[in-house]
Amino acid sequence: MLRLRNQFINKRLSCFAGFRRGTSSVRLHVAAVADIKTEDTKFELSTVAPHGDASVRGTSVVLDHAASPNKATVTRSIVFVTSEVAPWSKTGGLGDVCSSLPLALAARGHRVMVVSPRYKAYPEVIDTGVRKRVGTAEVGFFHQNIKGVDFVFVDHPSYIGRTGGPYADEYGPYQDNQFRFSLLAQAGLEAPLLVDCEGKGVYGQDIVFVANDWHTSLLPVYLAANFRPFGVYQKARSLLAIHNLCHQGVFPPSTFDELNLKGWWYGAVEFQYPPHQRKGSYAEEGRSVNFMKAGITTCDRVITVSPGYAEEIQTYLGGWGMEGMLTSRSPVLNGITNGIDTEVWDPQTDKNLPVNFGTEDFVEGKRACKMKLQEELGLPVNGDIPLLAFIGRLDPQKGADILLEAAPQLMQQHDVQLVCLGSGNKDLEDGMRWLESSFRSRSRAWVGFNEPFSHKLTAAADILIMPSRFEPCGLNQLYAMRYGTVPVAHKTGGLKDTVIDFDPWVKKGTGWTYTSCDAGGLLYALGHAITTYKHHRSDFVDLQKRGMSRDASWDSAAQQYEQLFEWALIDPPYCK
Ligand SMILES: Nc1ncnc2c1ncn2[C@@H]1O[C@H](COP(=O)(O)OP(=O)(O)O[C@H]2O[C@H](CO)[C@@H](O)[C@H](O)[C@H]2O)[C@@H](O)[C@H]1O
């Protein structure tokens, strides 16, 4: 039964190779990604290890001057433009980062705005009354200031009132995503000029823009095409933050007509795929409008969310077709490991937990959380059994299918409980249901998006499984370590930067990583983790303690962002 299911999933995975009309993502070589061998690539080493973690690489940001832990030495006006911002909209880590990083920068003294769509009538968000014609559309701006950050919501009928999520509903991606997000990028450029935030005046033109992922990666193009030639934003700079290169915003070439750009900008947004990557009717010649490509080739600097991922996206296996362009921009490409919101994710104060705990009392605290969760889920209540957890989008990226393949052997060989939380791909959702029904006495699967439950599960679990095929940074392993949950992760991207392998001889490390991206590799690493939990308990407790004491805050990352802003302003605009 399982073999049949896995064959089915594998078949579905191979179907992802190539384009699908109307989708906003490009899935070109999933099969190859499954075999990413990042250890084979060699890079020059620098001397900085962000957060004191495993990564020591040339793509890290080395500060030019002494670190200023609390306040920025130079303050700037910074505008993030993003399709998601938590808590208003969140389908994954993008939403988390686009609220927690701006808050950290504002706390350091910067004036920070976040521009995002108004997908719903958010309470306490106020209509500024500002309206602006952008191309053929008219947008409005709503506003709320929280802890010094101006959250500005763009109002347009194409955002509000959709039945599904921000990008898709049950029938697939919205067919007007190219319009919706090109509009967002343009509105993001208008907001600092027009929106007077609580009487403090408009932000003006001296701005550092941070566009995020494909949805807003046309921002640098609009800056160069529709503003700079008219004398606006001469001193502004644009950075493109890549949270996930797999999703690129690929559309038919005819899309260009909807983008409010003069014809001579077509070359900036076009991407022609090489023959072996072409599929689909509009891609017979490999031609497409590719939002991500447009951003990469026109922004002033490219940032990605870990140094490890910054390396991987410059390789064939991790570049999703963009590796050539990213390599050509490597002098301005850096990786900064994400931080987390340490107020939202604090086991000492988290209101979602039945029992709060800190570094001193986590053994009892976590045990109580585990037993409460077992009771709630109808699992046998047992404080001693290792509780394994998986939390994530059910997408080929996250490797849930690898976990499903490993599950029978895992459950047969080890006396463990396994609880999964996730939603997304329908086959993988069915796989989760199959897992629960097959191992009813020891496993549960919550199919859906449930934030409070993700906190409870993170606190209750002993081990968090992250079998991601690729992972630009990954936030769950960071949350897990802060909650005394030990990650077992595939050694890729940000996971290899943030999870330090346990070394029993010198008693170092915060988790286990494995290199073979398959069920065997995962089982091997889980075997170590479970054995350590059961037979070397004090080592396991020390591992938990090291994870909890790790600096997960944005402090260090925010300073590295400041450094990039400074470097961006030293250089002339890349695209005038
Ligand atoms: N069913 C569910 N219920 C409740 N919560 C759920 C959930 N499924 C996911 N989440 C939450 O969504 C967030 C996911 O964050 P990740 O960093 O793992 O993923 P994502 O791939 O979306 O982000 C991309 O951007 C981020 C940010 O840069 C990178 O860390 C990452 O590698 C990259 O792929 C976490 O806060 C997680 O708890």
Side-chain angles (χ1 to χ4, degrees):
M1 162 71 185
L2 179 71
R3 235 190 38 220
L4 275 179
R5 171 166 299 283
N6 287 337
Q7 279 169 2
F8 183 56
I9 290 172
N10 287 340
K11 209 164 158 198
R12 291 299 300 256
L13 280 177
S14 60
C15 293
F16 282 127
F19 302 92
R20 269 171 48 206
R21 180 182 278 277
T23 59
S24 56
S25 64
V26 59
R27 303 172 191 278
L28 293 174
H29 38 211
V30 168
V33 168
D35 295 317
I36 285 179
K37 289 199 184 84
T38 49
E39 321 63 78
D40 292 348
T41 51
K42 289 201 174 59
F43 294 88
E44 193 194 336
L45 302 185
S46 82
T47 51
V48 162
H51 301 293
D53 279 345
S55 63
V56 185
R57 296 192 189 84
T59 51
S60 305
V61 179
V62 185
L63 301 182
D64 276 352
H65 35 68
S68 52
N70 299 318
K71 289 284 168 195
T73 40
V74 180
T75 56
R76 305 188 192 284
S77 295
I78 303 159
V79 175
F80 285 78
V81 187
T82 170
S83 59
E84 289 179 33
V85 58
W88 297 277
S89 52
K90 170 177 165 179
T91 65
L94 174 65
D96 281 344
V97 170
C98 286
S99 63
S100 54
L101 172 59
L103 286 166
L105 288 165
R108 292 179 59 76
H110 300 284
R111 195 172 183 206
V112 188
M113 178 188 281
V114 180
V115 183
S116 194
R118 182 172 173 261
Y119 295 115
K120 288 183 189 151
Y122 303 126
E124 294 174 46
V125 172
I126 291 160
D127 189 353
T128 61
V130 176
R131 300 276 179 277
K132 172 72 187 168
R133 188 150 197 90
V134 177
T136 55
E138 186 183 277
V139 293
F141 296 92
F142 284 60
H143 172 259
Q144 183 176 9
N145 186 291
I146 295 179
K147 292 185 189 165
V149 176
D150 290 305
F151 292 96
V152 172
F153 297 94
V154 181
D155 186 42
H156 185 268
S158 67
Y159 300 135
I160 201 154
R162 297 266 159 132
T163 48
Y167 317 114
D169 60 15
E170 58 187 302
Y171 304 108
Y174 301 128
Q175 294 299 301
D176 58 351
N177 275 345
Q178 60 274 48
F179 165 76
R180 297 167 76 227
F181 293 114
S182 63
L183 185 65
L184 176 62
Q186 295 175 81
L189 285 157
E190 298 288 356
L193 301 173
L194 301 172
V195 181
D196 179 354
C197 298
E198 293 178 339
K200 288 190 206 140
V202 296
Y203 274 52
Q205 299 191 29
D206 198 354
I207 304 285
V208 177
F209 286 100
V210 183
N212 292 275
D213 273 351
W214 75 263
H215 323 97
T216 49
S217 60
L218 286 185
L219 186 147
V221 184
Y222 289 120
L223 181 62
N226 296 354
F227 289 83
R228 282 209 181 109
F230 303 97
V232 185
Y233 285 138
Q234 299 299 323
K235 285 191 193 164
R237 295 291 183 274
S238 61
L239 288 82
L240 173 63
I242 300 177
H243 301 260
N244 194 336
L245 189 60
C246 166
H247 303 283
Q248 297 183 356
V250 180
F251 302 100
S254 57
T255 301
F256 183 76
D257 297 339
E258 297 170 44
L259 299 184
N260 189 27
L261 286 166
K262 297 277 186 241
W264 54 84
W265 282 95
Y266 178 73
V269 300
E270 190 206 37
F271 184 64
Q272 187 168 20
Y273 285 91
H276 66 282
Q277 291 179 339
R278 293 175 193 171
K279 210 172 174 187
S281 52
Y282 68 80
E284 273 158 17
E285 292 175 357
R287 289 184 197 284
S288 66
V289 160
N290 183 316
F291 280 29
M292 186 69 97
K293 177 261 172 177
I296 292 169
T297 49
T298 52
C299 69
D300 293 305
R301 295 195 77 92
V302 185
I303 314 171
T304 189
V305 289
S306 71
Y309 194 57
E311 291 171 359
E312 286 173 13
I313 58 177
Q314 296 178 67
T315 68
Y316 173 74
L317 289 178
W320 299 92
M322 296 291 116
E323 59 275 11
M325 263 159 306
L326 284 162
T327 307
S328 75
R329 301 230 58 198
S330 64
V332 292
L333 166 62
N334 293 96
I336 301 177
T337 306
N338 283 334
I340 62 173
D341 188 325
T342 48
E343 281 182 27
V344 175
W345 289 91
D346 182 354
Q348 301 195 68
T349 55
D350 192 333
K351 292 198 172 53
N352 299 297
L353 311 189
V355 175
N356 291 110
F357 55 86
T359 42
E360 298 307 314
D361 57 353
F362 70 90
V363 175
E364 308 81 56
K366 281 184 73 67
R367 192 183 167 88
C369 289
K370 172 158 67 174
M371 293 168 76
K372 183 75 187 151
L373 190 85
Q374 289 167 333
E375 194 188 317
E376 278 178 18
L377 296 179
L379 285 167
V381 178
N382 177 353
D384 293 323
I385 194 168
L387 177 64
L388 278 49
F390 170 90
I391 303 170
R393 290 183 294 108
L394 297 181
D395 179 279
Q397 173 191 348
K398 301 291 177 185
D401 54 304
I402 296 172
L403 173 60
L404 290 174
E405 193 184 333
Q409 209 175 320
L410 172 71
M411 302 307 261
Q412 197 181 21
Q413 287 178 350
H414 302 282
D415 185 22
V416 294
Q417 291 178 347
L418 173 61
V419 178
C420 300
L421 166 65
S423 61
N425 181 300
K426 295 293 165 226
D427 292 333
L428 293 172
E429 287 186 351
D430 286 347
M432 288 288 150
R433 293 184 186 104
W434 164 84
L435 176 74
E436 176 170 320
S437 59
S438 305
F439 305 97
R440 183 94 199 131
S441 62
R442 287 189 292 145
S443 101
R444 290 290 178 272
W446 189 304
V447 176
F449 194 92
N450 186 333
E451 207 148 355
F453 186 64
S454 76
H455 285 243
K456 275 192 213 175
L457 181 55
T458 305
D462 300 296
I463 294 165
L464 180 84
I465 304 172
M466 290 197 69
S468 306
R469 290 192 162 81
F470 67 96
E471 195 59 80
C473 176
L475 298 176
N476 285 324
Q477 83 279 13
L478 306 181
Y479 301 146
M481 286 189 270
R482 188 156 164 79
Y483 280 53
T485 306
V486 178
V488 170
H490 176 219
K491 203 179 184 77
T492 182
L495 295 175
K496 80 173 171 229
D497 287 348
T498 53
V499 181
I500 305 171
D501 271 317
F502 175 54
D503 182 338
W505 306 111
V506 289
K507 311 274 184 213
K508 272 192 176 168
T510 50
W512 282 268
T513 62
Y514 59 93
T515 49
S516 176
C517 184
D518 52 24
L522 175 60
L523 285 165
Y524 174 76
L526 278 175
H528 283 305
I530 295 164
T531 306
T532 309
Y533 177 91
K534 286 192 171 161
H535 306 298
H536 303 277
R537 203 49 191 275
S538 66
D539 282 344
F540 196 87
V541 169
D542 287 346
L543 265 160
Q544 292 175 292
K545 217 178 272 175
R546 282 192 292 272
M548 290 182 85
S549 317
R550 172 186 180 278
D551 177 16
S553 72
W554 274 104
D555 291 347
S556 151
Q559 288 178 56
Q560 293 173 53
Y561 270 85
E562 284 165 2
Q563 179 68 79
L564 292 191
F565 298 155
E566 191 181 322
W567 288 341
L569 285 154
I570 289 170
D571 293 331
Y574 183 66
C575 194
K576 284 186 200 167

